[in-house]
Amino acid sequence: EVQLVESGGGLVQPGGSLRLSCAVSGLTFSDHSMAWVRQAPGKGLEWVGRIRDKANSYTTDYGASVTGRFTISRDDSTKSLYLQMTNLRADDTAVYFCVRDYFLVGAVRYFDFWGQGTLVSVSS
Amino acid sequence: DIQMTQSPSSLSASIGDRVTISCRASQSISTYLNWYQCKPGTAPKLLVYATFTLESGVPSRFSASRSGTHFTLNISSLQPEDFATYYCQQSYSLPVTFGPGTKVEIK
């Protein structure tokens, strides 16, 4: 059974930092790109960014709203995904989902496994 | 960035109804379109990928189609477990973008 379990969410003040973790089991973690998707309260889904696998040099890509503030990393030895968030703002308040970014062929890729999410609240 | 729009933003339907949800891309995305189902407190679920292909385990009452930049998710006979919010998402180019969602509610 595939499991993605996020942790590290919580309440943080504006301008603060937080690091989210995602523990993955049940799939060959090292072979796949991974991503973070967030959902603000009462809002839709927003792609935060992704990290590709070793074969693709662990390259990262980010959404415009988090570029320069968030960093995605991974540890294939422990099957863990991370999201380092700095200079947090109120509009970063959201549930953050860890997802497998599955690449099939060409531009056919999709998020097929999701964690339950972890809530990040940015408020003074 | 590619903008995704959905219509309607919400709809009310009864068990057994046929439901159609529309999604439109701001430019050509070929068939690189996925659909997800979201319920409060649960992880989103992949329903359809590459425009037409149902993810394993998704009931056959779900189907999807495309006409140019207009995509459609159909539910042939709405079941109680289908009340949820549905999102389309393009994977044609970065940044990945989602539609704003369509909430399917009980009439």
Side-chain angles (χ1 to χ4, degrees), chain A residues 26-43:
Chain A
L27 57 84
T28 311
F29 180 79
S30 60
D31 287 349
H32 300 286
S33 293
M34 298 294 295
W36 290 94
V37 174
R38 68 183 182 182
Q39 185 171 31
K43 303 296 185 182

Side-chain angles (χ1 to χ4, degrees), chain A residues 58-110:
Chain A
Y58 298 124
T59 55
T60 54
D61 298 283
Y62 300 94
S65 62
V66 306
T67 296
R69 300 187 300 123
F70 289 12
T71 302
I72 298 174
S73 60
R74 62 190 293 163
D75 184 339
D76 289 349
S77 67
T78 61
K79 295 188 175 183
S80 298
L81 178 72
Y82 302 101
L83 178 64
Q84 178 68 49
M85 303 183 291
T86 63
N87 193 19
L88 282 160
R89 311 184 305 219
D91 61 359
D92 293 317
T93 295
V95 174
Y96 286 74
F97 296 100
C98 165
V99 302
R100 183 174 79 162
D101 181 12
Y102 186 78
F103 169 73
L104 186 60
V105 63
V108 179
R109 57 194 318 139
Y110 43 85

Side-chain angles (χ1 to χ4, degrees), chain A residues 37 39 43-47 50 61-64 97 101 104-117, chain B residues 1 31-32 34 36 38 41-46 48-50 55 87 89 91-100:
Chain A
V37 174
Q39 185 171 31
K43 303 296 185 182
L45 300 171
E46 180 186 11
W47 180 75
R50 72 168 182 190
D61 298 283
Y62 300 94
F97 296 100
D101 181 12
L104 186 60
V105 63
V108 179
R109 57 194 318 139
Y110 43 85
F111 305 133
D112 58 349
F113 292 111
W114 297 64
Q116 292 293 317
Chain B
D1 298 0
T31 58
Y32 302 122
N34 309 315
Y36 300 86
C38 293
T42 67
K45 177 183 177 182
L46 174 68
V48 175
Y49 62 89
E55 172 69 336
Y87 294 91
Q89 171 246 322
S91 65
Y92 179 79
S93 68
L94 293 182
V96 164
T97 47
F98 291 87

